[in-house]
Amino acid sequence: MKNILGFLAVALLLQYPASVFAVAEALTSAGSRADFADYRIDSGGNLHLVWDDVDSAAIMYKLFDSAGTVLIPRMQINAGGTGTWPAISVDATGLVYVVWHDMTNGEVWFLSLNPFLAPLDGMPVALGDIKVVDDVMISTAGGNDAVHPRMRMDGNGDLHVVWESNGGTVDYAKINPADGSPLNGPLSLGVVTSGTGLPDVDVDTAGHAHIVFGSDVGTPAAEIYYAMVDGDPAAPTRIRIYPTPLTGSDNLLAGSATVNVDTFDNTLY
């Protein structure tokens, strides 16, 4: 057995460089509390990181190269300074798109950045130098608190955003990345328990949005639900599959679901 384990260890070290086994290190400063981080890797291997600075209630951004070197240090990117629960997408050219929940008016907001307008030398960057689209409100919860937004980009570069309204619904919208304007929606998908739905979204090669969330409507405890929205421009707000439970009523709390599409064959996970 020892020989087998030793062989496997050597094989792993030969297959993977030492950097793969590097000790975990902090991506954000220890001087403030960070929460609800999200990230994307661009086509050049750079890591784009966003998070909620709990102490200042601001949405923060930081850029690393593939070796972990800081290209843009931590900076606040939302103007209002009252954000939480950010989500990020990056397109093929490296443009960055961020949505978040604004705690002042309870809505979901959108902005975009072009970080490659900065020197990328690790020095502080002025927000005005890289901000492409200023903060735009994309939800219409009407004071009901649009919370927990998630976002994915489709093959055409359009953005699909879901969030949960404390008024009791999971909402979906397709957003134009150029200016944050709605291409369709917002569209209400179904009733959820306030503040516990935690929706997620991914998009297949046809542009259809696949959405999962938690709900305890009609069951003793929360179950995971799935819905599908049409991506056809001729029917952009048609629900192809209405919210359907994926888990059974077993009195257990099922939640925090995520969805991923394998774009090779559009299999959902």
Side-chain angles (χ1 to χ4, degrees), residues 81-114:
T82 58
T84 187
W85 207 274
I88 186 172
S89 286
V90 180
D91 69 16
T93 68
L95 290 176
V96 173
Y97 309 96
V98 181
V99 293
W100 72 96
H101 163 71
D102 184 276
M103 294 182 288
T104 299
N105 70 353
E107 302 288 358
V108 174
W109 289 68
F110 166 89
L111 62 80
S112 73
L113 310 170
N114 184 351

Side-chain angles (χ1 to χ4, degrees), residues 13-24:
L13 289 173
L14 289 174
Q15 183 177 359
Y16 298 104
S19 59
V20 172
F21 300 96
V23 176

Side-chain angles (χ1 to χ4, degrees), residues 87 89 91 96-100 108-112 133-140 149-163 171-187 201 203 207 209 229-231 236-237:
S89 286
D91 69 16
V96 173
Y97 309 96
V98 181
V99 293
W100 72 96
V108 174
W109 289 68
F110 166 89
L111 62 80
S112 73
V133 177
D134 288 328
D135 304 8
V136 178
M137 189 174 75
I138 63 172
S139 69
T140 56
R150 294 287 92 183
M151 174 173 58
R152 290 293 179 92
M153 177 174 286
D154 65 26
N156 294 322
D158 295 326
L159 298 165
H160 300 253
V161 188
V162 292
W163 63 87
D171 294 342
Y172 159 85
K174 187 176 180 179
I175 300 299
N176 184 346
D179 57 10
S181 61
L183 295 173
N184 68 58
L187 171 68
V201 61
V203 191
V229 177
D230 205 323
T237 57

